[in-house]
Amino acid sequence: MVPSEENQLVPKEVESAAEEPRVLCIIQDTTNSKTVNERVTLNLPASTPLKRLFEDVASKVGYVNGTFDLMWGNGDNVIDTQSPIDQNSDRTILDAGFEPGKKNFLHLTDKDGEQPRLMLESSATDDSAQDRFIGPLPREGSVGCSNDYVSQSYSYSSVLSKSETGYVGLVNQAMTCYLNSLLQTLFMTPEFRNALYKWEFEESEEDPVTSIPYQLQRLFVLLQTSKKRAIETTDVTRSFGWDSSEAWQQHDVQELCRVMFDALEQKWKQTEQADLINQLYQGKLKDYVRCLECGYEGWRIDTYLDIPLVIRPYGSSQAFASVEEALHAFIQPEILDGPNQYFCERCKKKCDARKGLRFLHFPYLLTLQLKRFDFDYTTMHRIKLNDRMTFPEELDMSVFIDVEDEKSPQTESCTDSGAENEGSCHSDQMSNDFSNDDGVDEGICLESNSAAERISKAGSEKSSLLYELFSVMVHSGSAAGGHYYACIKSFSDDQWYSFNDQHVSKITQEDIKKTYGGSSGSRGYYSSAFASSTNAYMLIYRLKDPTRNAKFLEANEYPEHIKQLVQKERELEEQEKRQREIERNTCKIKLFCMHPTKQIMMENKLEVHKDRTLKEAVEIAYKLMDLEEAVPLDCCRLVKYDEFHDYLERSYEGEEDTPMGLLLGGVKSTYMFDLLLETRRPDQIFQCYKPEVMVKVHVVDLKTESVAPPISVRAYLNQTVSEFKQLISKATNLPAETMRVVLERCYNDLRLLNVSSKTLKAEGFFRSNKVFIESSESLDRHVAYTDSHLWKLLDRHANTIRLYVSLPEQSPGPQFRRTVYQKSSGDSGNLDEACERVKAAVGNMKSVEAILEESTEKLKSLSLQQQQQEGDNGDSSKSTEASDFENIESPLNEIDSSASAENRELENQIQISDPENLQSEERSDSDVNNDRSTSSVDSDILSSSHSSDTLCNVDNAPLPLANGLDSHSITSSRRSKANQGKKETWDTAEEDSGTDSEYDESGKSRGEAQYMYFKAEPHAADEGSGEGQKWLMVHVDKRITLSAFKQHLEPFVGVPSSHFKVFRVYASNQEFESVRLNETLSSFSDDNKITIRLGRALKKGEYRVKVYQLLVNEPEPCKFLLDAVFAKGMTVRQSKEELLPQLREQCGLDLTIDRFRLRKKTWKNPGTVFLDYHIYEEDISISSNWEVFLEILDGAEKMKSMSQLAVLSKRWRPSEMKLDSFQEVVLESSSVEELKEKLSEISGIPLENIEFAKGRGTFPCDISILEIHQDLDWNPKVSTLNVWPLYICDDGAVIFYRDKSEELMELTDEQRNELMKKESSRLQKTGHRVTYSPRKEKALKIYLDGAPNKDLTQD
């Protein structure tokens, strides 16, 4: 239902009350599971009395006022949120605590444990909005669910009660709207309904479940007598033999009509109703051919159940304006002449003839199908014609009888078509056949015993061929799918109704006119595409004849078997109603029980009537949990339980006789708590549980920097902090006088409880809480809380995560055991000693620095074997480095290594250093030349030892840094001779490029700004991870940046952080590189995996680029070559210079810089050719994971300017049925004339004979050679390439061309079939064939035996 403007959820304010503030009330009905998720909204003046509020709520939800309570849903500013609002108070809602301008949430609850009483008559507003709406309603959230809360005319009873129209809707099972429309039409047809009622089902002869007529009878009885708003059709579809999957198949309503009528005829054989369908719906027409020379006519008689009317004639762009116009076209004869001449039996030769249809007999119920679904042979898709076609309320069919044609004295002949009434070649005999037809008395026969009588009869019948419209079946949507509903006129009161699945509403004649379709504009070829998709699809008319028009049977006129069926269905509905009432009053709640002997937690659902007492509920739970043999009944009781927090909330002493509805707060769909069936031994007594809070207490030891596992303590919200400390003191045996209590309210919210007189409730305690306590004589308790050791320890505890890091197999790093940390206080001597060790390590690094100063070629010549020899030499820098790192160990490491696995967080040591102190120590190699090689070739990395420049933090342990390379480092290869005197602007990028530099503007590492906790230790390799693969288990503060994290990993990887990459491992072992160095690890969580791979990491302004080779004439034109790194400000020529050695070493391509070009890659399509002087980010947009094509040139580069255009041409040779290879054509402009000149030049075709067409789809624009000659848009009438329909504005477009004087090869059938196979195989391999593949449709079938045929070959 769509609410009218005056019935919006939030009513508009009246102008006179515009100055008065208004209060928005949102009421949730919690009394029933079906309404708990719905809302009723009221927007009231602030001066509204509470009494009026209850009246308004009662009228909106359909309850009797005084039978329900309203409770606060959000009581932040209300003193008592547990007591109901006083409904008899004269106070205004403003005085009662409602806030204007805010949402005030209320819960509608049971009053005194009793369900609210429903109003006998819905007090909702008039259904005017629904009356005015006939279009397809929005889908409900679940099949068959009413969604009445969307209107202000909501009534809870409306979910179950009949529509105000008095008619009952049908529930849409999923996509059965087409079935509902037809069933409602048949139900509203008096002749069909009365005849169906007269048929009697014999249960002894047939199963009622599979009997289609019986299930239709039941459905019609329910539609006539049910008190529900809508009923199900599942029994009817089950009798069709359909399963649940059929409900998800949408079919054509006209197709269903025919299939259902055929099934009914089969079921009604040998009964009075055997010919019912023919009597009501069948008409007859003559299909004739008349010779125009001698007048001889051949004909046959056909029957029809509906007349299909064309919306738009074939090949025409104009649709018929009305049904009458389409009917005239239906019987309009066509002339057979020329090659279509008719062979006349009398003339014994081919003659011109007239062929057409002539109506002989109109049915009592005339069905017209408007053929709105068509096939577009241009797109090869089904389409829907939405053109406007009017239809009258009264249709005079007499105008469609051709009386003049009946006066013809010529002898008629019957064709041998197998149709009925054949074999009679004379008109008098034919009419004799009709006089014996069983259907004549129900329909209108236009034949009589003589020609004269026939003419007279036809003339007299014309006045009686007036039909009245009573059903319009409407389709909304497209040819791919949509929604059906029916507009039906009741013959009882001549009122039109919309039957839209479960919704039934009144409509007017104006609403019927809206289903004509089309738009207000002229009816042109494209009018259908822009017209409304909601239009009439099937029309059913009834003959206006007072002597034949039937009325619906009254209840006292029902046959006896229908009276019995009505009584049976009524009793079933009453029984269902009683069961529903029981369901509405049944509390359903999760029940748990720890089995006294098995010691396992059992779970079940307790269903108990709200009026049952607690004692009775215990008995039910006792049996449900099957405890009869385990424990006596009197040793069991039910207590309030919170499964999520494993917390016993309260026990119910002295409330054994209290109804469960009161104890549980009413019948609800879900409860915020559970019940536990608690047991005891006979010698024990039950403990009394008051409404308490559960507190998990963690004891913190500052000396060992450990956090103990939690112990559980029960406390009361009204306890003070001082009392709470005493409670904890008893549980932990720690002194309360020196105790500090920290409450963790949520992540990173650590609150020190330092006001002894405040209650736990005021401090923010809730159902379940976590606190940390520390009680010692330490001076730390006198320090400001946020500066204290306790706060830092807890902060570290809350932010430390555990990661598993996979190291590269060839990692030359030192021993595994490493701990880098800071200690906030301790022996300063140890600190100085550690700093001195680091300085010594720096001094010993000079040999490494010397190596790094060598040229790139020398670095490449270093082998892994030489590294190993250096590693065995005691004087080598690497062994010195390793020993130094092994000595950097904390005195606390022994404690850490002995900590238990359960208390992993005890090891997670984190301290925040003082940033100011970091200035006191400078990098030892600040003057190191920054131009050393950082080639991305992995062999370079493996052949160079890493630098281990360190920064000694004066607060604590040393912090390893990267090797001094900063964002100004560039490869020697970039400094080509052509650019020696030019400043490299690209290596000082300021904008964010998708990656971030590891260094700030001053060259300092960003890791220096703030030190975060990091600790690593070896981890046993997982199974299947590969032999020799090394793993680290790292405990790290997730607020650390990726840059600092990489620097901490340097000693374990063995190369500088700029020379390895970090990959995060996701589900299914998918790996993605982490490149944003200034981002933290906050997105990581415990036990995430990380893979380290060797290779140069990106700096600021650099991008990783995938390079593919473009092979235009190969079957697979796109071949991956390598990953490269391009930088902002770099020229294309510089990037080509960098690629040359990589192409030679990794791909075996020995090229010169002028022998290849780079060009844009968009998926598989080649694009803009990049010129050597183009600059990345200035002339060429570049992004992360960018892709480019590398194209090897046959000769010198022809592209010199951006004004040029490079297209790929391919010649089509129709006389040979083949395509040549691609050739590049470089144009100086976008002129079509120049393109033709170039094509003529390379092909030798005369200029005037050149025809071209643009290729379609993805490069290489493959097309079958059987289709290319006619399917492409050859020789478009344009003068430039950059306009429609070509739109060639960039390099890389594909152009096919041909010689128009060249004839197409004529193929034999064998040649064509052979070529078709080859082309199909070729196109399938390339994957460029795009075909229309619609969803496979399932044929509509009704199975007369009630089940589908399992023989798949019959499908």
Side-chain angles (χ1 to χ4, degrees), residues 163-301:
S163 163
E164 291 180 356
T165 62
Y167 290 101
V168 178
L170 294 173
V171 173
N172 191 334
Q173 296 182 37
M175 298 177 73
T176 56
C177 51
Y178 67 99
L179 172 66
N180 293 349
S181 301
L182 180 61
L183 291 175
Q184 291 283 19
T185 297
L186 295 178
F187 173 72
M188 295 295 285
T189 306
E191 292 77 10
F192 185 89
R193 191 202 298 181
N194 295 346
L196 182 65
Y197 280 177
K198 290 177 183 176
W199 175 81
E200 184 173 0
F201 173 67
E202 297 293 340
E203 193 165 353
S204 59
E205 299 178 3
E206 190 178 6
D207 183 359
V209 174
T210 59
S211 174
I212 297 173
Y214 176 67
Q215 294 301 335
L216 280 177
Q217 255 188 10
R218 286 190 61 236
L219 184 77
F220 281 16
V221 165
L222 289 171
L223 285 172
Q224 196 166 354
T225 62
S226 177
K227 296 178 182 178
K228 296 180 181 178
R229 173 178 286 270
I231 58 175
E232 298 279 354
T233 57
T234 47
D235 289 340
V236 173
T237 54
R238 193 177 295 114
S239 71
F240 291 171
W242 295 358
D243 56 22
S244 58
S245 66
E246 293 282 354
W248 293 93
Q249 294 282 337
Q250 189 176 76
H251 294 289
D252 186 279
V253 69
Q254 184 258 356
E255 180 187 12
L256 173 70
C257 186
R258 291 194 172 193
V259 173
M260 185 188 289
F261 282 175
D262 184 56
L264 287 171
E265 284 185 317
Q266 296 294 325
K267 288 286 187 177
W268 275 335
K269 282 183 177 179
Q270 311 301 324
T271 68
E272 291 181 18
Q273 288 74 22
D275 205 37
L276 175 65
I277 301 301
N278 292 340
Q279 291 172 9
L280 294 179
Y281 295 94
Q282 182 176 280
K284 289 185 173 65
L285 55 77
K286 177 192 289 185
D287 187 351
Y288 68 90
V289 181
R290 173 171 290 181
C291 177
L292 294 181
E293 292 188 15
C294 67
Y296 176 82
E297 184 176 281
W299 49 265
R300 74 165 184 264
I301 306 299

Side-chain angles (χ1 to χ4, degrees), residues 1166-1179:
T1168 308
V1169 174
F1170 299 149
L1171 305 181
D1172 282 356
Y1173 58 83
H1174 282 165
I1175 299 174
Y1176 295 116
E1177 283 286 27
E1178 291 184 20
D1179 303 313

Side-chain angles (χ1 to χ4, degrees), residues 61 297 411 448 573 708 732 866 898 983 1023 1030 1225 1227 1245:
V61 299
E297 184 176 281
T411 305
S448 60
E573 191 167 300
T732 59
Q866 289 172 324
S898 63
K983 182 182 179 182
E1023 291 184 11
K1030 301 174 183 178
V1225 175
L1227 306 175
I1245 301 172

Side-chain angles (χ1 to χ4, degrees), residues 900-959:
S900 64
E902 292 86 25
N903 298 327
R904 177 179 59 82
E905 57 269 16
L906 306 187
E907 296 180 313
N908 300 344
Q909 304 180 29
I910 178 172
Q911 299 300 331
I912 308 300
S913 64
D914 185 356
E916 295 180 0
N917 292 336
L918 291 171
Q919 308 297 330
S920 61
E921 188 72 30
E922 297 297 333
R923 288 170 52 189
S924 60
D925 61 343
S926 58
D927 297 324
V928 171
N929 183 4
N930 288 329
D931 285 347
R932 71 192 78 159
S933 171
T934 56
S935 169
S936 61
V937 182
D938 288 352
S939 59
D940 294 351
I941 298 167
L942 292 176
S943 62
S944 61
S945 301
H946 78 281
S947 167
S948 60
D949 305 334
T950 57
L951 174 74
C952 181
N953 187 315
V954 298
D955 283 346
N956 220 308
L959 183 66

Side-chain angles (χ1 to χ4, degrees), residues 772-787:
F772 300 90
I773 65 154
E774 190 276 330
S775 185
S776 67
E777 297 292 341
S778 169
L779 296 176
D780 189 62
R781 46 194 293 262
H782 301 297
V783 180
Y785 170 58
T786 52
D787 297 329

